[in-house]
Short mmCIF file of all heavy atoms in Angstrom, two decimals:
data_model
loop_
_atom_site.label_atom_id
_atom_site.label_comp_id
_atom_site.label_asym_id
_atom_site.label_seq_id
_atom_site.Cartn_x
_atom_site.Cartn_y
_atom_site.Cartn_z
N GLY A 1 19.79 6.18 6.78
CA GLY A 1 18.56 5.79 7.48
C GLY A 1 17.55 6.90 7.65
O GLY A 1 16.49 6.69 8.25
N VAL A 2 17.84 8.10 7.13
CA VAL A 2 16.91 9.23 7.30
C VAL A 2 15.62 8.98 6.50
O VAL A 2 15.65 8.41 5.41
CB VAL A 2 17.58 10.55 6.87
CG1 VAL A 2 17.75 10.62 5.35
CG2 VAL A 2 16.78 11.75 7.36
N ARG A 3 14.49 9.41 7.07
CA ARG A 3 13.20 9.27 6.38
C ARG A 3 12.92 10.56 5.61
O ARG A 3 12.91 11.65 6.19
CB ARG A 3 12.08 8.99 7.37
CG ARG A 3 10.77 8.58 6.71
CD ARG A 3 9.81 7.94 7.70
NE ARG A 3 8.63 7.44 7.01
CZ ARG A 3 8.54 6.27 6.41
NH1 ARG A 3 9.58 5.47 6.40
NH2 ARG A 3 7.42 5.88 5.81
N VAL A 4 12.70 10.42 4.30
CA VAL A 4 12.56 11.58 3.43
C VAL A 4 11.10 11.82 3.06
O VAL A 4 10.42 10.91 2.58
CB VAL A 4 13.41 11.42 2.14
CG1 VAL A 4 13.30 12.66 1.26
CG2 VAL A 4 14.86 11.14 2.48
N TYR A 5 10.63 13.05 3.30
CA TYR A 5 9.28 13.49 2.90
C TYR A 5 9.46 14.56 1.84
O TYR A 5 10.13 15.57 2.08
CB TYR A 5 8.52 14.08 4.10
CG TYR A 5 8.29 13.11 5.22
CD1 TYR A 5 9.32 12.80 6.13
CD2 TYR A 5 7.06 12.48 5.39
CE1 TYR A 5 9.12 11.90 7.17
CE2 TYR A 5 6.85 11.59 6.43
CZ TYR A 5 7.87 11.30 7.31
OH TYR A 5 7.67 10.41 8.33
N CYS A 6 8.87 14.34 0.68
CA CYS A 6 9.13 15.25 -0.45
C CYS A 6 7.83 15.63 -1.16
O CYS A 6 6.98 14.78 -1.42
CB CYS A 6 10.08 14.57 -1.45
SG CYS A 6 10.61 15.62 -2.81
N ARG A 7 7.68 16.94 -1.45
CA ARG A 7 6.53 17.39 -2.24
C ARG A 7 6.85 17.25 -3.72
O ARG A 7 8.02 17.30 -4.12
CB ARG A 7 6.17 18.84 -1.91
CG ARG A 7 7.21 19.85 -2.37
CD ARG A 7 6.86 21.28 -2.03
NE ARG A 7 5.87 21.81 -2.94
CZ ARG A 7 5.59 23.11 -3.04
NH1 ARG A 7 6.21 23.99 -2.29
NH2 ARG A 7 4.68 23.53 -3.88
N VAL A 8 5.83 17.04 -4.52
CA VAL A 8 6.02 16.89 -5.96
C VAL A 8 4.83 17.52 -6.67
O VAL A 8 3.71 17.45 -6.19
CB VAL A 8 6.20 15.39 -6.34
CG1 VAL A 8 4.94 14.60 -6.03
CG2 VAL A 8 6.57 15.24 -7.80
N HIS A 9 5.10 18.17 -7.79
CA HIS A 9 4.01 18.82 -8.54
C HIS A 9 3.44 17.93 -9.63
O HIS A 9 2.26 17.99 -9.94
CB HIS A 9 4.51 20.13 -9.15
CG HIS A 9 4.36 21.31 -8.24
ND1 HIS A 9 3.14 21.74 -7.77
CD2 HIS A 9 5.28 22.14 -7.70
CE1 HIS A 9 3.30 22.80 -6.99
NE2 HIS A 9 4.59 23.06 -6.93
N HIS A 10 4.28 17.11 -10.24
CA HIS A 10 3.86 16.33 -11.39
C HIS A 10 3.84 14.84 -11.06
O HIS A 10 4.78 14.31 -10.47
CB HIS A 10 4.78 16.58 -12.58
CG HIS A 10 4.87 18.03 -12.97
ND1 HIS A 10 3.83 18.69 -13.58
CD2 HIS A 10 5.85 18.95 -12.78
CE1 HIS A 10 4.18 19.96 -13.79
NE2 HIS A 10 5.41 20.14 -13.31
N GLU A 11 2.78 14.17 -11.47
CA GLU A 11 2.61 12.75 -11.16
C GLU A 11 3.75 11.90 -11.74
O GLU A 11 4.16 10.91 -11.13
CB GLU A 11 1.27 12.26 -11.71
CG GLU A 11 0.06 12.84 -10.99
CD GLU A 11 -1.26 12.32 -11.54
OE1 GLU A 11 -1.25 11.22 -12.11
OE2 GLU A 11 -2.28 13.01 -11.39
N GLU A 12 4.25 12.29 -12.90
CA GLU A 12 5.28 11.49 -13.55
C GLU A 12 6.61 11.48 -12.77
O GLU A 12 7.49 10.65 -13.04
CB GLU A 12 5.54 11.96 -14.99
CG GLU A 12 5.93 13.42 -15.13
CD GLU A 12 4.75 14.35 -15.36
OE1 GLU A 12 3.63 14.00 -14.97
OE2 GLU A 12 4.98 15.43 -15.92
N HIS A 13 6.77 12.39 -11.81
CA HIS A 13 8.00 12.44 -11.01
C HIS A 13 7.95 11.51 -9.79
O HIS A 13 8.97 11.30 -9.15
CB HIS A 13 8.25 13.87 -10.52
CG HIS A 13 8.55 14.84 -11.64
ND1 HIS A 13 8.46 16.21 -11.50
CD2 HIS A 13 8.92 14.61 -12.93
CE1 HIS A 13 8.76 16.78 -12.64
NE2 HIS A 13 9.04 15.84 -13.53
N GLN A 14 6.76 10.96 -9.47
CA GLN A 14 6.61 10.14 -8.27
C GLN A 14 7.52 8.91 -8.29
O GLN A 14 8.25 8.65 -7.33
CB GLN A 14 5.15 9.69 -8.12
CG GLN A 14 4.23 10.81 -7.70
CD GLN A 14 2.79 10.36 -7.60
OE1 GLN A 14 1.91 11.15 -7.33
NE2 GLN A 14 2.53 9.08 -7.80
N GLU A 15 7.47 8.15 -9.37
CA GLU A 15 8.26 6.92 -9.47
C GLU A 15 9.75 7.21 -9.41
O GLU A 15 10.52 6.48 -8.79
CB GLU A 15 7.91 6.19 -10.78
CG GLU A 15 8.35 4.73 -10.83
CD GLU A 15 7.64 3.86 -9.78
OE1 GLU A 15 6.45 4.11 -9.51
OE2 GLU A 15 8.32 2.97 -9.24
N TYR A 16 10.15 8.31 -10.04
CA TYR A 16 11.55 8.71 -10.06
C TYR A 16 12.05 9.00 -8.64
O TYR A 16 13.13 8.55 -8.24
CB TYR A 16 11.70 9.96 -10.94
CG TYR A 16 13.11 10.51 -11.02
CD1 TYR A 16 14.09 9.88 -11.79
CD2 TYR A 16 13.45 11.66 -10.32
CE1 TYR A 16 15.37 10.39 -11.86
CE2 TYR A 16 14.74 12.18 -10.39
CZ TYR A 16 15.69 11.52 -11.16
OH TYR A 16 16.96 12.03 -11.22
N LEU A 17 11.24 9.74 -7.86
CA LEU A 17 11.63 10.07 -6.49
C LEU A 17 11.64 8.84 -5.59
O LEU A 17 12.49 8.71 -4.71
CB LEU A 17 10.70 11.14 -5.92
CG LEU A 17 10.85 12.55 -6.53
CD1 LEU A 17 9.74 13.47 -6.06
CD2 LEU A 17 12.20 13.15 -6.19
N LYS A 18 10.71 7.92 -5.82
CA LYS A 18 10.69 6.66 -5.05
C LYS A 18 11.97 5.88 -5.28
O LYS A 18 12.56 5.33 -4.34
CB LYS A 18 9.48 5.80 -5.46
CG LYS A 18 8.17 6.22 -4.84
CD LYS A 18 7.08 5.27 -5.28
CE LYS A 18 5.72 5.70 -4.74
NZ LYS A 18 4.64 4.82 -5.22
N ASN A 19 12.43 5.84 -6.53
CA ASN A 19 13.66 5.12 -6.86
C ASN A 19 14.89 5.76 -6.23
O ASN A 19 15.91 5.10 -6.00
CB ASN A 19 13.85 5.03 -8.37
CG ASN A 19 12.78 4.15 -9.03
OD1 ASN A 19 12.25 3.25 -8.40
ND2 ASN A 19 12.47 4.44 -10.28
N LEU A 20 14.80 7.07 -5.94
CA LEU A 20 15.92 7.76 -5.29
C LEU A 20 15.99 7.46 -3.79
O LEU A 20 17.00 7.74 -3.15
CB LEU A 20 15.79 9.28 -5.49
CG LEU A 20 16.07 9.82 -6.90
CD1 LEU A 20 15.85 11.32 -6.93
CD2 LEU A 20 17.48 9.49 -7.35
N GLY A 21 14.88 6.92 -3.25
CA GLY A 21 14.88 6.58 -1.83
C GLY A 21 13.92 7.40 -0.98
O GLY A 21 14.02 7.39 0.25
N VAL A 22 12.98 8.11 -1.63
CA VAL A 22 11.99 8.90 -0.88
C VAL A 22 10.88 7.97 -0.38
O VAL A 22 10.27 7.26 -1.17
CB VAL A 22 11.39 10.01 -1.77
CG1 VAL A 22 10.34 10.80 -1.00
CG2 VAL A 22 12.49 10.92 -2.29
N GLN A 23 10.64 8.01 0.94
CA GLN A 23 9.60 7.14 1.52
C GLN A 23 8.21 7.74 1.41
O GLN A 23 7.23 7.02 1.19
CB GLN A 23 9.91 6.85 3.00
CG GLN A 23 11.11 5.97 3.24
CD GLN A 23 12.42 6.76 3.33
OE1 GLN A 23 12.43 7.95 3.04
NE2 GLN A 23 13.49 6.09 3.72
N GLU A 24 8.11 9.07 1.56
CA GLU A 24 6.80 9.72 1.57
C GLU A 24 6.77 10.82 0.51
O GLU A 24 7.55 11.77 0.58
CB GLU A 24 6.49 10.32 2.94
CG GLU A 24 6.44 9.31 4.08
CD GLU A 24 5.23 8.40 4.00
OE1 GLU A 24 4.27 8.74 3.27
OE2 GLU A 24 5.24 7.34 4.65
N ILE A 25 5.87 10.66 -0.48
CA ILE A 25 5.73 11.66 -1.54
C ILE A 25 4.37 12.33 -1.39
O ILE A 25 3.34 11.66 -1.29
CB ILE A 25 5.85 11.02 -2.93
CG1 ILE A 25 7.26 10.44 -3.11
CG2 ILE A 25 5.56 12.02 -4.03
CD1 ILE A 25 7.43 9.60 -4.35
N ILE A 26 4.38 13.66 -1.37
CA ILE A 26 3.14 14.42 -1.18
C ILE A 26 2.95 15.34 -2.38
O ILE A 26 3.82 16.16 -2.70
CB ILE A 26 3.19 15.27 0.11
CG1 ILE A 26 3.32 14.37 1.34
CG2 ILE A 26 1.93 16.13 0.22
CD1 ILE A 26 4.73 14.14 1.78
N GLN A 27 1.83 15.15 -3.05
CA GLN A 27 1.48 16.04 -4.17
C GLN A 27 0.38 16.98 -3.68
O GLN A 27 -0.74 16.54 -3.40
CB GLN A 27 1.00 15.25 -5.38
CG GLN A 27 0.80 16.14 -6.61
CD GLN A 27 0.27 15.36 -7.81
OE1 GLN A 27 -0.01 14.18 -7.72
NE2 GLN A 27 0.14 16.05 -8.93
N PRO A 28 0.66 18.28 -3.52
CA PRO A 28 -0.31 19.22 -2.94
C PRO A 28 -1.69 19.18 -3.60
O PRO A 28 -2.71 19.19 -2.91
CB PRO A 28 0.36 20.59 -3.14
CG PRO A 28 1.82 20.28 -3.20
CD PRO A 28 1.92 18.94 -3.86
N GLU A 29 -1.71 19.11 -4.94
CA GLU A 29 -3.01 19.11 -5.64
C GLU A 29 -3.81 17.85 -5.30
O GLU A 29 -5.04 17.92 -5.11
CB GLU A 29 -2.79 19.20 -7.16
CG GLU A 29 -2.17 20.50 -7.64
CD GLU A 29 -0.65 20.53 -7.53
OE1 GLU A 29 -0.06 19.53 -7.06
OE2 GLU A 29 -0.07 21.55 -7.91
N PHE A 30 -3.12 16.71 -5.20
CA PHE A 30 -3.81 15.45 -4.89
C PHE A 30 -4.30 15.45 -3.44
O PHE A 30 -5.41 14.98 -3.15
CB PHE A 30 -2.88 14.27 -5.14
CG PHE A 30 -3.51 12.93 -4.84
CD1 PHE A 30 -4.54 12.44 -5.65
CD2 PHE A 30 -3.12 12.18 -3.75
CE1 PHE A 30 -5.14 11.21 -5.38
CE2 PHE A 30 -3.71 10.96 -3.46
CZ PHE A 30 -4.72 10.47 -4.29
N GLU A 31 -3.48 16.00 -2.53
CA GLU A 31 -3.89 16.07 -1.12
C GLU A 31 -5.11 16.98 -0.96
O GLU A 31 -6.00 16.70 -0.16
CB GLU A 31 -2.73 16.60 -0.26
CG GLU A 31 -1.54 15.67 -0.19
CD GLU A 31 -1.87 14.32 0.43
OE1 GLU A 31 -2.70 14.27 1.37
OE2 GLU A 31 -1.32 13.30 -0.03
N ALA A 32 -5.15 18.06 -1.75
CA ALA A 32 -6.32 18.96 -1.72
C ALA A 32 -7.56 18.21 -2.23
O ALA A 32 -8.65 18.34 -1.66
CB ALA A 32 -6.06 20.19 -2.58
#
């Protein structure tokens, strides 16, 4: 039940991390 927040550098990794169970994905370049 833990909520996972994960940074990612490459856009192509977003879907992969979502499938692993990450609820919040943060890409530093996109946030900037």
Side-chain angles (χ1 to χ4, degrees):
V2 71
R3 190 164 186 83
V4 182
Y5 298 79
C6 186
R7 68 181 282 194
V8 64
H9 271 300
H10 303 288
E11 291 181 24
E12 57 268 25
H13 294 162
Q14 288 178 183
E15 196 64 36
Y16 178 75
L17 290 171
K18 280 182 184 177
N19 293 332
L20 288 178
V22 179
Q23 290 88 350
E24 299 290 343
I25 296 171
I26 298 93
Q27 187 182 3
E29 295 84 359
F30 180 69
E31 294 298 324

